[in-house]
Amino acid sequence: MFNLFEPRDDFSYLLDNIGKDIQINNNSIRAVISSTNVNKENDDKYISTLEPINQGDSIFYDNQNWLIISEINGQRTVKYKGIMRKCNYTIKFNFQGNVKPFPSILETKLLDIESGQYMTLPVGKIIVTLQDNVDSRDIVLQQRFLIMGQAWKVVGIDKSENGLIILNCDKDLFSTNDDKVEEIADRWQWETVHNYVLTINNGDTATVNINDILTVNATVTDNGTTITNPDITYLSNDSNIVSVDNTGQAMGINLGTATITAQMTYNPDVKDTLQVTVQETPTEHNYSIVITGSATIKLNQTLSYTATFYDNGVEVTDQSGTWTIASPNPDGTTNIYATIQSQTGNSVSIKGTSNSSYVNKYFNLVCTLNSDSSITAVKQIQVKSLF
């Protein structure tokens, strides 16, 4: 039960109910974070915890990096309490090609201790505060960095504050070796300048059927050399029409057109686009033909035959055929047992032979589909005598 007379129990109760799970120097702990009016110029907060904390400790809270900027004068009653300030920038220092990021507090104003007022630094000067650790101790005078679209150099290093390193910095000129995009000073002095090109190999446009998959094929080159297994992110500007996963598999969801963007995951400005149109799934045709007419024809007789066209068993009127009398005949001869007198796309008029010696012979009347010559219908007809 909660005991009003035990300070540790009081604070433990607060930790349990309003405490936040945070990280201090990459170690997970629970702390009470509260607002403070000590410094209205910065986003400062109180931090209270049962775990020991120190000035300069790195805090990760609310998806932001913070630094404890106040001295921690031991344990107060049962807890440790200090003031932490949000790091407003991450500065990348380049150590001869080894680039290391430092969450930092960058200031253009300085607190006058006597007046308690902030004084604006001269133009071209900034103060950078960062954690004192094994990496930051390698920063030296005249070392350059890029931030806020400007180049800077370190002109003073103050290590008088426990756990903190305070850099006095002056504005500097850009170098041809500076990577202004990633804000890394002297990058190309130690690294090869990259010239990335991402290309979607499907062309500018593509189509996909509803519920079908289109593979978006993209390649990346660096200075003309193809990169093996590049990190590519695929995005759709309308996932209700076309959805796409992280492997470039795009699925048609609804009719319409969407734009697929393929971009380098860590260089999103290197990208290409593909317009994908979703269409109805085409019907698979299955045509057939039925010839209607007499199975016999008399000598010198003229008869008409018609063709009816079907698609998947349903009669259609948008198809037509061409009529022929097949050769050789069923008996293997090439004798002319009948001739075509006239024809249309769905009817034909044929005349039987006048040669009585061909009575009882058979021939084949053929209708071939004009849109697909592999589809035919054959009607076998027998020649009969007049009487």
Side-chain angles (χ1 to χ4, degrees):
M1 179 180 296
F2 175 55
N3 188 336
L4 294 174
F5 300 101
E6 291 292 336
R8 183 179 181 87
D9 289 344
D10 287 355
F11 186 68
S12 296
Y13 178 82
L14 289 175
L15 276 179
D16 292 339
N17 287 273
I18 64 171
K20 305 291 184 181
D21 291 322
I22 66 171
Q23 287 190 327
I24 296 184
N25 300 326
N26 296 318
N27 296 314
S28 297
I29 70 164
R30 194 166 179 83
V32 174
I33 308 296
S34 57
S35 298
T36 172
N37 293 321
V38 172
N39 187 340
K40 296 182 180 179
E41 295 288 332
N42 296 284
D43 189 0
D44 291 352
K45 294 187 181 298
Y46 285 122
I47 175 172
S48 302
T49 177
L50 292 174
E51 304 293 331
I53 55 177
N54 297 286
Q55 184 177 23
D57 281 349
S58 174
I59 310 293
F60 188 76
Y61 159 72
D62 196 25
N63 291 319
Q64 299 281 343
N65 291 297
W66 306 67
L67 287 176
I68 295 180
I69 60 170
S70 65
E71 286 281 1
I72 309 299
N73 297 316
Q75 193 173 17
R76 299 183 182 182
T77 311
V78 298
K79 64 180 180 292
Y80 295 88
K81 186 174 183 179
I83 297 174
M84 65 182 194
R85 180 171 297 172
K86 185 192 298 184
C87 297
N88 51 1
Y89 288 94
T90 296
I91 297 176
K92 302 170 186 174
F93 278 95
N94 191 348
F95 301 93
Q96 297 186 347
N98 186 10
V99 179
K100 298 179 181 180
F102 295 90
S104 305
I105 300 168
L106 189 151
E107 299 172 284
T108 58
K109 296 180 180 180
L110 195 62
L111 180 64
D112 182 7
I113 298 177
E114 292 184 0
S115 66
Q117 300 295 316
Y118 274 87
M119 299 183 299
T120 301
L121 294 173
V123 175
K125 292 183 178 293
I126 59 174
I127 301 293
V128 175
T129 303
L130 56 154
Q131 184 184 42
D132 182 356
N133 56 40
V134 65
D135 290 325
S136 62
R137 291 180 205 125
D138 289 335
I139 298 172
V140 297
L141 291 174
Q142 303 303 310
Q143 189 162 358
R144 303 171 65 254
F145 62 93
L146 309 183
I147 202 68
M148 302 185 301
Q150 299 289 341
W152 304 87
K153 64 181 177 181
V154 179
V155 297
I157 301 176
D158 181 357
K159 298 182 180 180
S160 62
E161 296 287 340
N162 291 330
L164 298 172
I165 291 180
I166 301 172
L167 307 177
N168 292 276
C169 308
D170 286 351
K171 189 176 177 180
D172 196 21
L173 297 176
F174 281 114
S175 161
T176 56
N177 289 320
D178 291 339
D179 182 349
K180 297 179 183 179
V181 176
E182 297 296 325
E183 293 197 320
I184 301 175
D186 305 314
R187 181 175 188 178
W188 310 128
Q189 180 179 347
W190 311 101
E191 298 181 40
T192 301
V193 178
H194 296 286
N195 181 22
Y196 294 114
V197 176
L198 186 151
T199 304
I200 293 179
N201 301 311
N202 303 69
D204 296 327
T205 61
T207 58
V208 64
N209 300 329
I210 288 181
N211 296 325
D212 277 356
I213 297 292
L214 169 72
T215 299
V216 181
N217 181 267
T219 55
V220 179
T221 60
D222 183 11
N223 292 309
T225 301
T226 301
I227 298 175
T228 303
N229 298 321
D231 287 317
I232 299 176
T233 298
Y234 296 90
L235 305 169
S236 171
N237 74 331
D238 193 341
S239 57
N240 291 320
I241 294 177
V242 180
S243 65
V244 63
D245 66 15
N246 57 7
T247 65
Q249 301 298 298
M251 172 177 279
I253 305 299
N254 287 296
L255 297 179
T257 299
T259 300
I260 300 299
T261 299
Q263 62 188 36
M264 289 188 70
T265 302
Y266 302 107
N267 293 278
D269 289 335
V270 181
K271 60 188 176 182
D272 196 7
T273 59
L274 172 68
Q275 281 205 325
V276 179
T277 299
V278 181
Q279 62 186 11
E280 293 280 9
T281 302
T283 302
E284 186 174 345
H285 297 291
N286 184 17
Y287 290 115
S288 60
I289 307 171
V290 175
I291 299 174
T292 303
S294 176
T296 63
I297 188 170
K298 295 180 180 181
L299 296 173
N300 286 319
Q301 185 181 23
T302 300
L303 294 177
S304 294
Y305 294 83
T306 60
T308 304
F309 302 96
Y310 297 89
D311 186 4
N312 290 301
V314 178
E315 183 178 348
V316 293
T317 58
D318 61 346
Q319 298 297 312
S320 61
T322 298
W323 299 87
T324 57
I325 293 177
S327 180
N329 297 307
D331 59 9
T333 68
T334 58
N335 299 324
I336 299 175
Y337 299 147
T339 56
I340 292 177
Q341 302 299 295
S342 63
Q343 66 174 292
T344 66
N346 64 351
S347 65
V348 66
S349 175
I350 65 173
K351 182 177 181 179
T353 180
S354 61
N355 191 334
S356 60
S357 65
Y358 293 159
V359 170
N360 293 328
K361 296 294 186 178
Y362 291 89
F363 65 92
N364 289 331
L365 177 64
V366 180
C367 182
T368 301
L369 188 66
N370 288 332
S371 63
D372 185 350
S373 60
S374 68
I375 307 298
T376 60
V378 178
K379 187 171 183 68
Q380 192 174 80
I381 303 172
Q382 186 180 32
V383 179
K384 289 290 188 178
S385 63
L386 293 174
F387 305 100

